Amino acid sequence: MEPAMPPVGGHEPWRAAIGPVAGAAVTATGIVSVGCRLVGAEVRWPRPGYDARRWATVFPLGTAAVASLTAAGQAGSGTSGWLEPLGRALLWVAVAVWALVAAGLVRRVARGMLSRTP
């Protein structure tokens, strides 16, 4: 069975060039958006010390790092030379935040202050 509409010829080079760049731009926009929202939320509703809701901060940091590293791999080094270093930096930030939140959890458990919410 033939496709309903044959592919349009001559546009493959454009698609090959624009696709990775567009993906990298969307990824970068998402990363900036996540970062601004996290910083804004921390300024608006500060939570000093350990809070179980801190894990909601760790997750977007990790996903932003993985998204930028994945997009850098898909786009190739020629079009996203800036995306892989950004992803690596975000990955280290995510690991550091994860370690801080995990240390707060361990400290809270060691003190016996962990309580279940109803």
Side-chain angles (χ1 to χ4, degrees):
M1 187 169 190
E2 300 223 9
M5 197 154 176
V8 179
H11 296 297
E12 275 308 312
W14 286 101
R15 250 193 271 176
I18 292 175
V21 173
V26 168
T27 301
T29 303
I31 291 169
V32 169
S33 173
V34 167
C36 289
R37 288 178 187 187
L38 288 175
V39 170
E42 291 298 326
V43 168
R44 173 73 172 95
W45 300 285
R47 295 174 283 182
Y50 175 77
D51 189 339
R53 294 174 292 179
R54 289 276 178 221
W55 291 107
T57 303
V58 173
F59 181 75
L61 289 172
T63 55
V66 170
S68 62
L69 288 171
T70 303
Q74 293 295 321
S77 60
T79 57
S80 67
W82 56 273
L83 203 51
E84 186 173 351
L86 175 66
R88 289 184 186 276
L90 286 172
L91 185 61
W92 282 110
V93 169
V95 168
V97 172
W98 181 90
L100 288 172
V101 174
L105 174 63
V106 168
R107 200 168 118 197
R108 169 89 37 117
V109 168
R111 288 184 181 174
M113 296 174 56
L114 193 63
S115 64
R116 290 194 159 173
T117 56

